[in-house]
Each structure stands twice: as C-alpha cells, then as structure tokens.
Amino acid sequence: MEKQEFMKRAGALARENIAKGLGGPFGCVVVKDGKIIAEGSNHVTTSDDPTAHAEIVAIRNACKTLSSFQLDGCEIYTSCEPCPMCLGAIYWARPEKVYYSSTKNDAKNIGFDDQFIYEEMEKDYAERGIPFERLEDEESTKAFHEWTKKNDKIEY
Amino acid sequence: MEKQEFMKRAGALARENIAKGLGGPFGCVVVKDGKIIAEGSNHVTTSDDPTAHAEIVAIRNACKTLSSFQLDGCEIYTSCEPCPMCLGAIYWARPEKVYYSSTKNDAKNIGFDDQFIYEEMEKDYAERGIPFERLEDEESTKAFHEWTKKNDKIEY
C-alpha cells in the first residue's frame, strides 16, 4: 500500500465513525513496514473518555500490537492535524513521521478549535481558564528520591 | 478531607507505583464534592501504553465513574506538574482546577524532561524531531462535511 491509501483509510475511518454514531469525524492508522498495524477513531462521547481521540486510540492499539510502549519505525496517518494532547502523545510514542490531511483551520471551521489550548499554555498559571496551583507535599518529593535510587527501574 | 490530604494521596500513589514496579513516580487523584472519585498512576512501561500517564489514567477512571466525558465540578491533584499531553487532556476533560506538587524542573532533574515537546511545538513542521507532513485526501474532507450535516451528533 502507498501513503495515499493509508491516508484514505484514516479518512474512511472518520467517515465510518460518523455513520455509526461513535464520535467525532476523525480517524487514524499506524503503519509499520508498509502495513497498517493499528487503527483508531474518535470515541470521546461514546466511551466517556475525553482522551479517546483517534490518534490516542490508534497509538494505544499499535502499542498493544507491538507489545511496546514505543512506536519505533512506525508512521502515523491521521485524518486531521493533531491537537496538543495528541501531539504530546505522539512525542511520547516516538513514531518516525506523522502525515495529516485536514488542517487545524479546517477543524476550527466545523467547531473543533484547539487553538485555545496553545493559548492557555502561554499564560501564567493563575490566569488560565482552568487555574493551576502549586500545593507542595513531601510524598511527591519522596517518590522522586525513591525513583532515583531504584536500581531495576524501566526508563521510558 | 482537605486539599493537603488529596495531594498526599497523589504522592502516595506515586510511591506505591515505584514500590510495586508498575511505572514512573507519578500519581494523581480526581476529587468531586470533597471526595476522591478516581485515582491513577503511571503505567506506561507495564501496560505498553505511552499515554498511560497518571493524569490520563485518573481522568479516564473518573470519567468512567461519572459516566461522562467531562469532569464538571472536579479538581485534579497530581503529584507533578502535567506534561503537554496531560495538559491537553485536562483541557478536554474540563475540571475546575488543577493542583500539582513537584515541578517540571524537579521532574527534569530525575530524567523526565518534557520541555522538548514545548520546544517542538514552536518549530516548523519539517524541522521537528518527528516530522509532520500534510498529505491531503478527500475522505477526510468528506468526513468533515458529513459531520456538519449530521443532525443527531453529540458535540463535545
């Protein structure tokens, strides 16, 4: 299969998702060695999971398939430019490349605007729409010390 | 229970997580009406899921408990300042407030540096460590049109 076919599949998943009433108009596939190893579509509203964006679902499925928490040698084809959450997930999963079809602006035009998250990231914590406040506790500090001392830890 | 106790529980989850060898030194609780309704800790390496950060796990659990994709009226207590992926997830889940104990800098000092993701976000797509490339396909466009026309859609 070729790149364009992988993207066509991502878009077809988005369309199927709407037809089946499973969630938003977004689909994603993960490809390795020229084959689709996992698929995902947006299930936020039907699985009561705000993190169930197409990319997150596809990444989680691909990692299960590979029995790995890393997408070494993989490419992600997503029907729309990823939001900041999915972008973060992509960096943690470390695929080789990401292809997207519709743009953030296309998404904004149909009511999906993630620009506000980028804008919130620029703000001081107290001024954010969702305020972030530091509340120090020694348990958290102890956890970091214990992690540092742990000899058999799996780094990621 | 008081705020400090909620944060103590988040930190205790982080410590338990290390002791049990389940993942990184991070814990999180979601609170509603003065009670913990869900907990989470980092399971990236043991569940082969790069998205299984403490905050994501806790948000998903809390949404299951509430049978909702939104955390209305909830507060999140996390043992460490959230990474960009979790920050995005928090914005999509829309809790009222976020409290954190250890800072991004504390995390960096023990080997967890998410600053690179913020830096990547600032870069042109072609220059990113993981390149992003547009590959337009009409299926994605059709999906957006179909979403717009769908009368019984659940917006989120």
Side-chain angles (χ1 to χ4, degrees):
Chain A
M1 280 175 80
E2 297 294 329
K3 286 180 189 179
Q4 198 70 43
E5 292 174 82
F6 296 135
M7 188 59 86
K8 192 171 285 303
R9 179 64 188 149
L13 285 167
R15 296 184 69 193
E16 277 177 35
N17 210 47
I18 303 166
K20 292 180 181 168
L22 294 175
F26 305 100
C28 180
V29 300
V30 178
V31 170
K32 187 170 186 176
D33 300 329
K35 285 180 192 157
I36 292 175
I37 61 161
E39 300 183 335
S41 54
N42 181 294
H43 289 185
V44 168
T45 54
T46 48
S47 66
D48 287 334
D49 181 357
T51 74
H53 284 199
E55 297 92 327
I56 302 263
V57 174
I59 287 169
R60 298 178 84 224
N61 286 339
C63 285
K64 275 208 179 62
T65 300
L66 298 175
S67 301
S68 168
F69 55 86
Q70 298 285 268
L71 293 180
D72 296 335
C74 294
E75 292 174 340
I76 291 179
Y77 292 77
T78 176
S79 67
C80 185
E81 207 171 347
C83 80
M85 172 180 71
C86 293
L87 192 142
I90 287 165
Y91 274 96
W92 294 130
R94 301 184 181 87
E96 286 197 350
K97 189 158 182 174
V98 177
Y99 296 95
Y100 65 96
S101 179
S102 298
T103 66
K104 280 190 273 198
N105 203 47
D106 296 332
K108 184 178 178 174
N109 289 339
I110 63 158
F112 295 99
D113 186 11
D114 55 22
Q115 183 56 34
F116 81 99
I117 299 180
Y118 288 107
E119 288 166 11
E120 288 284 301
M121 283 178 175
E122 302 288 319
K123 293 181 187 170
D124 287 340
Y125 276 0
E127 287 162 17
R128 289 185 174 178
I130 300 173
F132 279 57
E133 184 180 321
R134 188 162 187 209
L135 180 67
E136 213 173 339
D137 188 87
E138 61 179 6
E139 290 292 309
S140 304
T141 311
K142 284 180 188 167
F144 277 17
H145 290 154
E146 286 160 1
W147 178 260
T148 305
K149 285 187 290 184
K150 191 175 172 69
N151 290 321
D152 61 346
K153 61 179 172 267
I154 304 171
E155 313 234 19
Y156 58 96
Chain B
M1 280 176 79
E2 298 293 330
K3 286 180 189 177
Q4 199 70 44
E5 291 174 83
F6 296 135
M7 188 59 86
K8 192 173 285 302
R9 178 62 188 151
L13 284 166
R15 296 184 68 193
E16 277 177 36
N17 209 46
I18 304 166
K20 292 179 181 169
L22 293 175
F26 305 101
C28 181
V29 301
V30 178
V31 170
K32 187 168 187 175
D33 300 330
K35 284 181 192 159
I36 292 174
I37 62 161
E39 300 183 336
S41 55
N42 180 294
H43 287 186
V44 168
T45 54
T46 48
S47 65
D48 287 334
D49 181 358
T51 75
H53 284 199
E55 295 93 329
I56 301 264
V57 174
I59 288 169
R60 298 179 82 223
N61 286 339
C63 285
K64 277 208 178 63
T65 300
L66 297 175
S67 300
S68 169
F69 56 87
Q70 298 285 269
L71 295 180
D72 294 336
C74 294
E75 292 175 339
I76 291 179
Y77 292 77
T78 176
S79 67
C80 186
E81 209 171 344
C83 80
M85 172 179 71
C86 294
L87 192 143
I90 287 165
Y91 274 96
W92 295 130
R94 302 184 181 87
E96 286 197 350
K97 188 158 182 176
V98 177
Y99 295 94
Y100 64 96
S101 180
S102 298
T103 66
K104 281 192 269 198
N105 202 47
D106 296 332
K108 184 177 178 176
N109 288 340
I110 63 158
F112 295 98
D113 187 11
D114 56 22
Q115 184 55 35
F116 81 99
I117 298 180
Y118 289 107
E119 288 166 11
E120 289 284 302
M121 283 177 176
E122 302 289 320
K123 293 181 188 171
D124 287 339
Y125 275 2
E127 288 162 16
R128 289 185 175 177
I130 300 173
F132 280 56
E133 184 180 321
R134 187 161 189 213
L135 180 68
E136 214 173 340
D137 188 87
E138 62 179 5
E139 290 292 309
S140 304
T141 312
K142 284 180 187 166
F144 278 16
H145 290 155
E146 286 160 1
W147 178 259
T148 305
K149 285 187 290 185
K150 191 175 172 70
N151 291 321
D152 61 345
K153 61 180 173 266
I154 305 170
E155 312 233 19
Y156 58 95

